[in-house]
């Protein structure tokens, strides 16, 4: 109790205008709506949504732009992307890009990771050996994203429901069509395991 | 209230985890060292205290986000329940798809991770002029108050409902009634009739009653195919996602929907409901969701408008239009073009917290719009949703866009699970 008294006394000395929390972090307020689905500071804990913490700003801005324009159809993300655009996508993208990445808590199957590693050779050309992506090629980082999210996206590519008609994705979608769903699940597990 | 003895004082304060005002008292081993007003359970010496009434979706979020953004502000959360039970997803408990335990969470995260001081007590009154909140044994003072009390039922508007007691449940505040309704459904005769009564808008969770209809119909279809569900809706049509719900109901021929059928009377002995047109509907299980208003504390504090039901607030700060330094969030508010949903309450909690932190630091509150997502489970595996995005225009919330999922799917169920996992953590972790 005596120790607590000291702490309380010190706390009372803090000037009334001090604000040490994220109220002073640029972008925090504009980005905090996202945490309802994408986790605190973009550290998604769920399987179906991407981790935004540490995502390169160029790719988050591209995703927001594609969602908002309807090029990447999503009934959930289209309205929210329009909101982010009105708030200022640069601030939101810069905020998430500077947040520390935390590993997803979703458990992965070791056998699936091993199988996925073998199947991933054809992905490395564009997404890199380490799955970190390449802005010059317009390929996003995949490493460490939740497997559920990666699998859902691959299925959407395969069915041409993600960014339909995008000429840059024709080759990718042709490749996906030749891969069966269990292999896609293995690929998802493999890329989810990277960078953990 | 008489001045407390020290013993009484400490006992009364045992629910308070280290409220700062108690420190001086304990250090001397005698009476408080500074002058204190009789009944003041913990003198507010910092001048930076925020009290939050209600630890639901809006209040718990607000408490956390004040502390996250300015740890120098003391936050006291008044919540009589020791657990948080999620209303969203609780229709899945009625149908036996999920357990109530899977929707039940403690407040340890707020306490340990964020330093929110939690008192397991109800606020009994608000005194805005004195900046005080009354509790059973005394009062606490605040610099800013965030009121998030949720809804109360206007049971008196349906004759016989109060007298029906536990025989006719609402299950509209997740908890024991949810579990009891699931049991009633399970025990209903195989050829029984389940009647669900939908209240007139506005009420908590617009799609909720229709989602419940889906869950009950799914349960009956799979477990009691000879049984029937009758939905008596006080409204003229399904008031949320009507096309999607009606499409989902194609799978449930055992579901009979009757619009403009407001229930005005319950006869629990005869197992009969009466509508305002005098139609009598016999039931084996009646689930009557009564008309609603802001919870009693908000009504008693006169935070409600002329309708005596809901609280009007500033669209940027969520400060009550009727009481200075008192902010209101969640289902008890009205006037902002948003549904009474969990996502909205969570969103309002963040925005009000941010406003409070900035105002206490002598800065203007930033203009932040809320968001909305309502996922509805139409079976045990499929979900559809409505999504709303907003912006602030001349100090008012206006909608940018509303979107519906093109239909129901397992993919959206996957998204719904992700939303729930994330938002529960956003509120409590």
């Amino acid at each position: 109790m005596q120790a607590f008294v000291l702490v309380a006394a010190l706390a009372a000395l803090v000037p009334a205008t001090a604000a040490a929390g994220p109220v002073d972090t640029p972008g925090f307020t504009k980005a905090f709506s996202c945490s309802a689905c994408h986790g605190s500071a973009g550290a998604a804990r769920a399987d179906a949504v991407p981790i935004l913490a540490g995502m390169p700003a160029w790719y988050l801005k591209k995703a927001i732009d594609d969602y908002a324009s309807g090029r990447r159809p999503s009934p959930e993300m289209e309205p929210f992307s329009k909101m982010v655009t009105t708030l200022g996508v640069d601030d939101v993208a810069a905020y998430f890009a500077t947040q520390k990445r935390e590993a997803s808590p979703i458990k992965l199957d070791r056998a699936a990771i091993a199988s996925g590693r073998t199947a991933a050779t054809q992905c490395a050309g564009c997404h890199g050996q380490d799955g970190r992506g390449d802005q010059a090629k317009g390929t996003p980082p995949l490493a460490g994203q939740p497997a559920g999210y990666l699998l859902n996206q691959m299925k959407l590519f395969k069915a041409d429901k993600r960014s339909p008609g995008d000429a840059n994705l024709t080759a990718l979608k042709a490749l996906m069509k030749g891969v069966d769903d269990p292999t896609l699940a293995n690929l998802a597990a493999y890329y989810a395991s990277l960078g953990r | 209230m008489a001045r407390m003895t020290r013993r009484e004082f400490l006992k009364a304060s045992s629910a308070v985890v280290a409220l700062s005002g108690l420190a001086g008292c304990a250090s001397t081993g005698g009476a408080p060292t500074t002058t204190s007003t009789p009944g003041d359970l913990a003198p507010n010496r910092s001048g930076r205290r925020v009290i939050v009434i209600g630890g639901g979706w809006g209040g718990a979020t607000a408490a956390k986000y004040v502390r996250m953004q300015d740890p120098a502000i003391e936050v006291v959360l008044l919540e009589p329940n020791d657990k948080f039970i999620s209303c969203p997803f609780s229709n899945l408990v009625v149908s036996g798809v999920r357990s109530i335990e899977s929707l039940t969470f403690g407040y340890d995260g707020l306490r340990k991770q964020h330093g929110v001081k939690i008192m397991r007590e109800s606020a009994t009154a608000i005194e805005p002029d004195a900046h005080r909140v009354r509790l059973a044994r005394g009062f606490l003072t605040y610099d800013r108050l965030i009121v998030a009390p949720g809804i109360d039922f206007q049971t008196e508007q349906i004759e016989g409902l109060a007298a029906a007691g536990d025989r006719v449940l609402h299950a509209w505040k997740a908890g024991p009634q949810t579990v009891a309704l699931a049991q009633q459904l399970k025990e209903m005769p195989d050829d029984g009739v389940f009647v669900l009564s939908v209240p007139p808008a506005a009420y908590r969770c617009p799609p909720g009653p229709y989602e419940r209809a889906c869950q009950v119909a799914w349960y009956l279809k799979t477990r009691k195919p000879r049984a029937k569900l009758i939905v008596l809706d006080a409204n003229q049509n399904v008031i949320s996602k009507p096309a999607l719900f009606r499409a989902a109901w194609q799978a449930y021929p055992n579901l009979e929907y009757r619009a403009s059928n407001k229930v005005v009377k319950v006869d629990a002995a005869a197992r009969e409901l009466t509508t305002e047109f005098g139609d009598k509907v016999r039931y084996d299980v009646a689930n009557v969701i009564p008309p609603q208003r802001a919870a009693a504390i908000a009504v008693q504090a006169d935070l409600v408008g002329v309708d005596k039901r809901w609280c009007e607030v500033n669209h940027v700060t969520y400060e009550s239009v009727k009481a200075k330094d008192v902010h209101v969030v969640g289902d008890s508010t009205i006037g902002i073009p948003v549904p009474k949903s969990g996502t909205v309450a969570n969103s309002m909690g963040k925005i009000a917290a941010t406003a409070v932190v900035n105002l206490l630091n002598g800065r203007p509150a930033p203009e932040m719009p809320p968001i909305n997502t309502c996922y509805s489970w139409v079976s045990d595996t499929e979900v559809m949703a409505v999504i709303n995005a907003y912006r602030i225009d001349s100090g008012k919330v206006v909608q940018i866009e509303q979107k519906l999922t093109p239909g129901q799917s397992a993919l959206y169920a996957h998204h719904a699970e992700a939303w729930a996992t994330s938002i529960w953590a956003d509120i409590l972790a």
Side-chain angles (χ1 to χ4, degrees):
Chain A
M1 205 62 190
Q2 289 297 336
F4 172 69
V5 173
L6 181 62
V7 172
L10 290 173
L13 296 175
V14 175
T17 50
V23 72
D24 294 321
T25 305
F28 171 78
T29 307
K30 290 179 181 179
F32 70 27
S33 295
C34 310
S35 61
C37 292
H38 290 280
S40 179
R45 313 297 288 162
D47 196 27
V49 286
I51 295 170
L52 303 181
M55 184 175 277
W58 73 267
Y59 184 65
L60 194 132
K61 284 162 69 174
K62 177 186 180 336
I64 291 290
D65 194 37
D66 286 351
Y67 280 129
S69 67
R71 282 193 296 276
R72 180 175 174 180
S74 165
E76 288 118 317
M77 281 310 300
E78 184 176 332
F80 294 146
S81 293
K82 287 173 180 166
M83 181 187 83
V84 168
T85 303
T86 66
L87 292 173
V89 66
D90 288 331
D91 292 343
V92 173
Y95 171 78
F96 284 119
T98 54
Q99 297 307 303
K100 194 165 171 286
R101 187 74 168 266
E102 286 175 37
S104 167
I106 305 295
K107 289 194 169 54
L108 299 169
D109 180 67
R110 282 185 179 205
I113 294 170
S115 304
R117 185 180 292 116
T118 312
T121 47
Q122 47 191 340
C123 312
C126 291
H127 286 281
Q129 289 293 341
D130 51 7
R132 297 206 177 276
D134 185 344
Q135 182 177 359
K137 292 176 180 160
T139 55
L142 306 175
Q145 287 294 352
Y149 168 72
L150 293 174
L151 178 59
N152 284 344
Q153 297 310 306
M154 285 189 279
K155 286 180 174 174
L156 290 172
F157 278 129
K158 194 174 169 180
D160 198 19
K161 287 182 176 172
R162 178 165 162 179
S163 304
D166 184 338
N168 293 324
L169 296 169
T170 309
L172 173 74
K173 287 171 182 172
L175 191 67
M176 292 277 176
K177 281 203 173 67
V179 184
D180 59 26
D181 283 0
T183 304
L184 293 181
N186 293 338
L187 283 167
Y190 169 65
Y191 279 105
S193 74
L194 295 178
R196 275 201 174 192
Chain B
M1 182 173 179
R3 191 183 177 92
M4 291 176 169
T5 63
R6 178 172 177 262
R7 185 188 177 86
E8 283 168 348
F9 178 69
L10 290 176
K11 192 179 164 196
S13 310
S14 61
V16 188
V17 182
L19 277 180
S20 61
L22 298 179
C25 166
S27 66
T28 61
T33 50
T34 55
T35 313
S36 63
T37 313
D40 190 345
L41 296 175
N44 169 15
R45 297 206 174 89
S46 68
R48 292 164 61 77
R49 179 189 283 168
V50 173
I51 297 180
V52 181
I53 297 178
W57 288 63
T61 303
K64 169 178 163 178
Y65 272 77
V66 169
R67 291 285 304 167
M68 267 175 74
Q69 295 186 73
D70 188 348
I73 295 175
E74 179 189 17
V75 175
V76 181
L77 173 64
L78 303 175
E79 170 54 57
N81 298 304
D82 68 336
K83 299 284 185 196
F84 171 103
I85 307 177
S86 174
C87 277
F89 283 39
S90 68
N91 282 327
L92 296 173
V93 175
V94 175
S95 56
V97 173
R98 277 188 90 122
S99 69
I100 194 84
E101 290 76 19
S102 74
L103 309 179
T104 304
F105 307 94
Y107 287 106
D108 277 359
L110 292 184
R111 191 183 289 120
K112 292 177 184 167
Q113 300 298 319
H114 300 285
V116 174
K117 294 160 181 174
I118 302 175
M119 293 179 76
R120 249 190 91 184
E121 293 197 48
S122 296
T124 57
I126 300 165
E127 297 170 353
D129 292 342
H131 282 66
R132 286 179 179 179
V133 173
R134 288 247 160 230
L135 308 175
R137 298 173 315 251
F139 66 85
L140 294 170
T141 61
Y142 62 79
D143 296 284
R144 293 258 169 191
L145 176 65
I146 299 176
V147 183
I151 53 107
D152 273 348
F153 300 109
Q154 296 176 301
T155 307
E156 72 286 354
Q157 294 204 359
I158 299 178
E159 185 186 340
L161 183 56
D166 289 347
R167 289 174 291 175
V168 177
L169 303 170
H170 54 74
W172 213 241
K173 292 184 180 183
Q177 285 220 0
T178 315
V179 175
L181 183 64
Q183 193 63 26
Q184 286 188 354
L185 175 60
K186 207 171 163 184
E187 291 169 358
M188 191 174 84
D190 285 348
D191 59 351
V193 177
F194 187 112
V195 181
L196 169 62
S197 164
V198 183
Y203 59 83
R204 164 177 281 175
C205 189
Y210 311 107
E211 181 193 58
R212 178 165 294 174
C214 291
Q215 289 303 309
V216 171
W218 173 82
Y219 180 89
L220 296 179
K221 183 180 173 180
T222 52
R223 309 286 160 80
K224 297 179 194 288
R226 289 159 56 216
K228 185 176 174 182
L229 167 64
I230 299 174
V231 180
L232 300 176
D233 193 340
N235 303 287
Q236 292 178 349
N237 192 6
V238 175
I239 65 163
S240 174
K241 299 176 271 194
L244 288 172
F245 275 115
R246 286 179 181 277
W249 291 347
Q250 295 296 313
Y252 303 122
N254 55 354
L255 187 162
E256 181 187 334
Y257 175 77
R258 300 182 191 171
S260 303
N261 268 255
K262 185 178 174 183
V263 168
V264 295
K265 186 179 172 185
V266 174
D267 185 338
R271 290 183 176 264
E272 196 173 73
L273 302 179
T274 307
T275 71
E276 63 182 333
F277 300 118
D279 292 343
K280 295 189 187 304
V281 182
R282 202 202 64 79
Y283 65 81
D284 292 285
V285 174
N287 174 201
V288 175
I289 306 167
Q292 294 157 31
R293 60 164 168 75
I297 184 123
V299 178
Q300 285 160 10
D302 196 30
L303 300 177
V304 291
V306 286
D307 64 354
K308 298 291 177 198
R309 287 179 76 192
W310 307 110
C311 307
E312 195 182 331
V313 293
N314 178 289
H315 288 212
V316 174
T317 62
Y318 292 84
E319 190 168 1
S320 166
V321 299
K322 300 191 75 179
K324 194 174 174 305
D325 299 336
V326 176
H327 302 251
V328 187
V329 297
D331 291 344
S332 56
T333 61
I334 200 155
I336 297 180
V338 293
K340 296 187 188 303
S341 77
T343 305
V344 163
N346 164 259
S347 197
M348 286 179 170
K350 292 178 194 177
I351 300 164
T354 305
V356 162
V357 167
N358 278 281
L359 293 169
L360 283 176
N361 282 293
R363 308 174 188 178
E367 293 195 343
M368 279 302 302
I371 60 166
N372 180 54
T373 313
C374 294
Y375 289 102
S376 296
W377 290 83
V378 299
S379 70
D380 58 332
T381 53
E382 291 194 320
V383 163
M384 45 77 155
V386 59
I387 297 92
N388 306 78
Y390 306 90
R391 62 190 163 84
I392 305 281
D393 187 357
S394 304
K396 294 287 180 190
V397 173
V398 292
Q399 183 168 283
I400 297 172
E401 183 174 43
Q402 170 172 289
K403 275 251 172 207
L404 300 167
T405 55
Q408 62 198 50
S409 74
L411 175 66
Y412 298 128
H414 200 198
H415 291 182
E417 296 277 5
W419 166 83
T421 303
S422 304
I423 203 163
W424 289 332
D426 197 28
I427 298 163
L428 295 164

